Structures are given as C-alpha cells and as structure tokens.
C-alpha cells in the first residue's frame, strides 16, 4: 500500500468506524471520512489538484 490515495481512504474509513459503530449515521460518517481521506491521499499522490477547486470557488482571492 504505497499509494497515498489508498492509505488516505483506509485511514478515513478506519477513523469513521472507530468513532461511530453501526447504524445509518455510522454509514454516512464512513462515507464522508472515506471521501475526505481519499481526496487528501489523491492530492498527496499528485492525481488531483485541490488548489484548482478552491480557486474556482473564489477562495483565496483578495
């Protein structure tokens, strides 16, 4: 597991299951944390550039 995307996704899912176990709310948290972990990992891998997303939404402009 040398890919930051896979590691980020796994860590996000593991944290979600550690915080909340079971139920629909637990499932939603698992999806959110997994998605965030996957995005951070993909950013670290260089597969995506989150800066472009933030620039497109107008954040960071003065």
């Amino acid at each position: 597991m040398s890919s930051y995307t896979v590691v980020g996704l796994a860590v996000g899912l593991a944290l979600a299951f550690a915080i909340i176990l079971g139920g629909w709310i637990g499932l939603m948290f698992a999806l959110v944390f997994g998605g965030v972990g996957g995005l951070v990992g993909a950013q670290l891998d260089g597969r995506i550039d989150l800066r472009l997303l933030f620039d497109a939404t107008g954040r960071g402009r003065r």
Side-chain angles (χ1 to χ4, degrees), residues 15-34:
L15 286 174
F17 284 119
I19 293 171
I20 297 175
L21 294 175
W24 288 104
I25 299 298
L27 175 64
M28 293 300 129
F29 274 110
L31 292 174
V32 169
F33 282 123

Side-chain angles (χ1 to χ4, degrees), residues 3-4 13 26 33 43:
S3 170
Y4 287 120
L13 287 171
F33 282 123
Q43 171 70 28

